[in-house]
Amino acid sequence: MDATDAQTACFEAGIKFGSLYHQFAGTPVSPASADSLARAMEEAIENQPYCESVTVDVLVDDLAAELADSTAEYTELTGRFVEVEMTIDYEGTEVRTRMDMQDGYPLMRVVDVAPDS
């Protein structure tokens, strides 16, 4: 049995989240470099097939709070410092996804699956 377009679109979203998270986790980040890192993450993932859009929000206030009691000027990027939204379009099926913290875990999930209008 072949996968449906919706299943393939969801699979593609998962591939992109895995790439995004595991490629950038551990990257040194500071409030000053957060915006440029977010743009680099977006551009890297948007290069992949079927990716229509990626929005990465590095949570600068959370970074600043993490660094408040530290002698370091940066920390490593983890899921708790990032919110991501992605739209994948595969053969006319659009999948919207999101990653944010849920109960202390960076949860990646499908928000909506719909045929293109």
Side-chain angles (χ1 to χ4, degrees):
M1 176 166 144
D2 291 337
T4 66
D5 287 349
Q7 290 168 328
T8 302
C10 289
F11 173 79
E12 288 292 335
I15 293 297
K16 281 131 188 75
F17 265 128
S19 177
L20 181 139
Y21 192 85
H22 293 291
Q23 179 177 350
F24 290 99
T27 300
V29 64
S30 69
S33 68
D35 188 55
S36 64
L37 179 58
R39 299 302 74 76
M41 293 169 75
E42 291 170 354
E43 290 176 13
I45 301 307
E46 285 175 345
N47 283 324
Q48 295 186 32
Y50 313 113
C51 189
E52 291 297 309
S53 66
V54 179
T55 302
V56 175
D57 184 20
V58 177
L59 306 175
V60 176
D61 291 343
D62 292 355
L63 283 174
E66 173 78 9
L67 294 169
D69 295 326
S70 175
T71 58
E73 295 181 15
Y74 70 93
T75 190
E76 66 182 54
L77 187 70
T78 67
R80 72 180 217 242
F81 298 123
V82 181
E83 292 179 350
V84 179
E85 293 183 359
M86 251 189 293
T87 301
I88 307 304
D89 188 325
Y90 178 81
E91 300 296 324
T93 298
E94 185 177 276
V95 174
R96 291 184 311 112
T97 63
R98 181 162 178 78
M99 182 186 90
D100 55 15
M101 292 300 288
Q102 298 288 320
D103 298 323
Y105 183 78
L107 183 64
M108 301 167 197
R109 66 184 184 281
V110 171
V111 174
D112 186 49
V113 179
D116 280 346
S117 305

